[in-house]
């Protein structure tokens, strides 16, 4: 966490000093942390839709035909991702989570979809999704069983990887239930990574390796990044403010460990976006979208695209916020400071721009005013000698030109966030 800013005594430094500071910041933010998984994928955070938080393991298609885990559900979501603007703004992966499988493997030891709920099989569904210009994600588990009790991949890593490739799968979410040891867990994640690459098909590899390692020891993120495209660190997100807040707390508490390892090809995954569901207020939905952009997180929605409000849809499709999330510099943001229930997060962006999120964590009272020196932002160089500031959330507003000595005043709703973009300017 950055807790101190540069303190310069003159209002406008000589041009050479300004350029030197900018160059130093650019160099520091381009220093690579670790090698990434060498499959050429996830060069920006993955975007798409994942069924788990909203639809869970609902397999009762007789009583709930419109919300059970089935071929019908995914075809409907694919149609909407194609027709309702989701694909155009970057939501590309339609992802199946747990509970898609038949209870047993077939006679050749291969995984198979439940024949009643997925009558066409996964190959048919993948082909359909591809005709919509989308990609299909699927779920499996490193252990003996999935978390919901379906067949796990332990002992079948190579055949499962080949099966997924033959079906035309584009992403694998690999869970970590039912492993006998941390060593078995790590070996399984490595084995599946190599098996996927060996198929020759481009398959994004989403791991939960550190999530299941933390209770026993600190994960080796350098190693994890060499095998995975993104990785879950903390528990499942729920449709509640307490859940979202706990993920942010975990991330900021552990940011010295996790922020530096994120970058093109490998990302920290704080779990799904629950925007458009039932548990978050509007301001809390704004906070989740803003902070997931700051954290360079995969943007995997879990909601019902058939019944989403225009307001939630506009938030999820906000191109300026998505541009921050997908910024090609590929640096994860961090918590800069926290005091009196106000948090300030920032993230370096391409072309010496910065994103800043100011969060009001207070859950009582009304909107709060907060004033900050622009010289304290972006490691002292974001607005040196000046910058143009745009408020992106909750309402897009051009705030205008700010010199390095200026102060910025904002007003933030309880549990809400003001998301800003700072563009470097000369005087």
């Amino acid at each position: 966490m950055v807790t101190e800013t540069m303190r310069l005594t003159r209002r406008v430094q000589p041009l050479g000093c300004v350029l030197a500071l900018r160059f130093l910041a650019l160099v520091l933010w381009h220093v690579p942390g670790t090698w990434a998984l060498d499959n050429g994928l996830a060069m920006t955070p993955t975007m798409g839709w994942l069924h788990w938080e909203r639809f869970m393991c609902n397999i009762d298609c007789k009583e709930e035909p419109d919300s059970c885990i089935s071929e019908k559900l995914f075809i409907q979501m694919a149609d909407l991702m194609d027709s309702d603007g989701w694909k155009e703004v970057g939501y590309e992966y339609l992802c199946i989570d747990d509970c898609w499988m038949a209870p047993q493997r077939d006679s050749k030891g291969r995984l198979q979809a439940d024949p009643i709920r997925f009558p066409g099989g996964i190959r048919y569904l993948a082909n359909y999704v591809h005709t919509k210009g989308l990609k299909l994600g699927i779920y499996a588990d490193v252990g003996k069983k999935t978390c919901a009790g379906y067949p796990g991949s332990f002992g079948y890593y190579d055949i499962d990887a080949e099966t997924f490739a033959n079906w035309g799968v584009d992403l694998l979410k690999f869970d970590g239930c039912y492993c006998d040891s941390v060593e078995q867990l790590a070996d399984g994640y490595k084995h599946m990574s190599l098996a996927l690459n060996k198929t020759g098909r481009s398959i994004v590899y989403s791991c939960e390796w550190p999530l299941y390692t933390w209770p026993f020891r600190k994960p080796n993120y350098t190693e994890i990044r060499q095998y995975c495209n993104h990785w879950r660190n903390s528990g499942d997100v729920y449709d509640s403010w307490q859940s979202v807040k706990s993920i942010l707390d975990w991330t900021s508490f552990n940011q010295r460990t996790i922020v530096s390892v994120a970058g093109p090809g490998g990302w920290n995954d704080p779990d799904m976006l629950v925007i458009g569901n039932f548990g978050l207020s509007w301001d809390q939905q704004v906070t989740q979208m803003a902070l997931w952009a700051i954290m360079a997180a995969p943007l995997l929605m879990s909601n019902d695209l058939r019944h989403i409000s225009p307001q939630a849809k506009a938030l999820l499709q906000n191109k300026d916020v998505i541009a921050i999330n997908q910024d090609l510099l590929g640096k994860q943001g961090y918590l800069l400071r926290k005091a009196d229930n106000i948090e300030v997060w920032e993230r370096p962006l391409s072309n010496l721009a910065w994103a800043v999120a100011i969060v009001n964590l207070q859950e009582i009272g009304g909107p709060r005013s907060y004033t900050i020196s622009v010289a304290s932002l972006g490691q002292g160089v974001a607005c040196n000698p000046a910058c143009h500031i745009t408020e992106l959330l909750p309402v897009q507003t051009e705030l205008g030109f700010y010199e390095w000595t200026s102060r910025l005043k904002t007003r933030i709703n309880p549990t809400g966030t003001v998301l800003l973009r700072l563009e470097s300017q000369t005087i």
Side-chain angles (χ1 to χ4, degrees), residues 57-172:
C57 190
N58 184 355
I59 59 174
D60 189 353
C61 292
K62 182 177 180 180
E63 291 295 323
E64 299 184 69
D66 293 327
S67 56
C68 67
I69 308 309
S70 65
E71 182 177 286
K72 174 185 173 182
L73 176 67
F74 290 97
I75 285 176
Q76 289 178 341
M77 294 302 163
D79 289 343
L80 289 168
M81 289 176 71
D82 177 40
S83 65
D84 282 8
W86 300 103
K87 180 178 68 176
E88 284 69 27
V89 297
Y91 293 98
E92 182 179 20
Y93 287 85
L94 177 66
C95 300
I96 308 169
D97 209 290
D98 205 347
C99 304
W100 63 270
M101 300 177 193
Q104 293 89 28
R105 292 174 176 269
D106 69 13
S107 60
K108 296 182 179 179
R110 295 173 300 197
L111 292 173
Q112 52 188 341
D114 183 282
I116 297 174
R117 293 183 286 116
F118 292 85
I122 301 301
R123 189 197 305 271
Y124 165 78
L125 183 57
N127 289 340
Y128 186 86
V129 167
H130 294 156
T131 66
K132 298 295 180 178
L134 301 167
K135 296 179 178 178
L136 184 71
I138 206 163
Y139 169 100
D141 193 285
V142 71
K144 296 178 179 68
K145 293 187 288 186
T146 74
C147 297
Y150 290 87
S153 291
F154 179 73
Y156 295 89
Y157 299 128
D158 293 291
I159 192 172
D160 287 354
E162 194 63 44
T163 298
F164 297 146
N166 289 339
W167 284 345
V169 165
D170 305 292
L171 178 149
L172 172 63

Side-chain angles (χ1 to χ4, degrees), residues 133-314:
L134 301 167
K135 296 179 178 178
L136 184 71
I138 206 163
Y139 169 100
D141 193 285
V142 71
K144 296 178 179 68
K145 293 187 288 186
T146 74
C147 297
Y150 290 87
S153 291
F154 179 73
Y156 295 89
Y157 299 128
D158 293 291
I159 192 172
D160 287 354
E162 194 63 44
T163 298
F164 297 146
N166 289 339
W167 284 345
V169 165
D170 305 292
L171 178 149
L172 172 63
K173 176 182 175 179
F174 210 39
D175 215 335
C177 285
Y178 295 102
C179 267
D180 293 335
S181 67
V182 179
E183 289 73 26
Q184 184 189 95
L185 180 88
D187 289 344
Y189 274 108
K190 295 176 189 177
H191 193 149
M192 180 57 86
S193 179
L194 298 173
L196 290 172
N197 274 1
K198 194 168 75 172
T199 69
R201 182 170 181 80
S202 296
I203 300 176
V204 172
Y205 188 35
S206 175
C207 302
E208 308 216 350
W209 185 352
L211 168 62
Y212 289 91
T213 304
W214 270 110
F216 303 99
R217 60 178 181 239
K218 183 178 179 180
N220 181 343
Y221 281 97
T222 301
E223 182 178 55
I224 290 168
R225 180 174 167 82
Q226 291 171 348
Y227 289 95
C228 303
N229 291 120
H230 34 90
W231 46 86
R232 284 275 306 284
N233 294 308
S234 52
D236 288 2
V237 70
Y238 284 68
D239 188 16
S240 76
W241 172 238
Q242 183 59 43
S243 176
V244 171
K245 189 167 63 170
S246 71
I247 291 171
L248 296 175
D249 289 344
W250 188 97
T251 301
S252 60
F253 183 79
N254 291 284
Q255 65 183 10
R256 289 186 183 274
T257 299
I258 68 171
V259 166
S260 62
V261 298
W267 310 96
N268 292 295
D269 181 3
D271 210 10
M272 296 160 279
L273 293 168
V274 293
I275 295 164
N277 290 326
F278 307 98
L280 300 184
S281 71
W282 170 245
D283 288 295
Q284 292 159 5
Q285 292 178 74
V286 167
T287 294
Q288 190 185 26
M289 190 68 184
L291 269 296
W292 263 236
I294 291 283
M295 293 188 293
L299 299 183
L300 294 171
M301 308 176 289
S302 191
N303 48 26
D304 191 341
L305 300 179
R306 300 166 300 187
H307 306 290
I308 189 167
S309 71
Q311 189 179 38
K313 180 180 177 182

Side-chain angles (χ1 to χ4, degrees), residues 6 14-27 381:
M6 299 178 186
L15 180 60
C17 180
V18 172
L19 293 177
L21 285 170
R22 289 185 178 180
F23 178 75
L24 176 61
L26 183 62
V27 168
V381 298

Side-chain angles (χ1 to χ4, degrees), residues 385-389 398-404 406 423-427:
C387 63
H388 183 273
I389 302 179
E398 297 293 332
L399 300 183
F401 182 85
Y402 284 76
E403 294 188 16
W404 194 67
S406 303
E423 301 279 356
S424 179
Q425 302 281 310
T426 57
I427 296 179

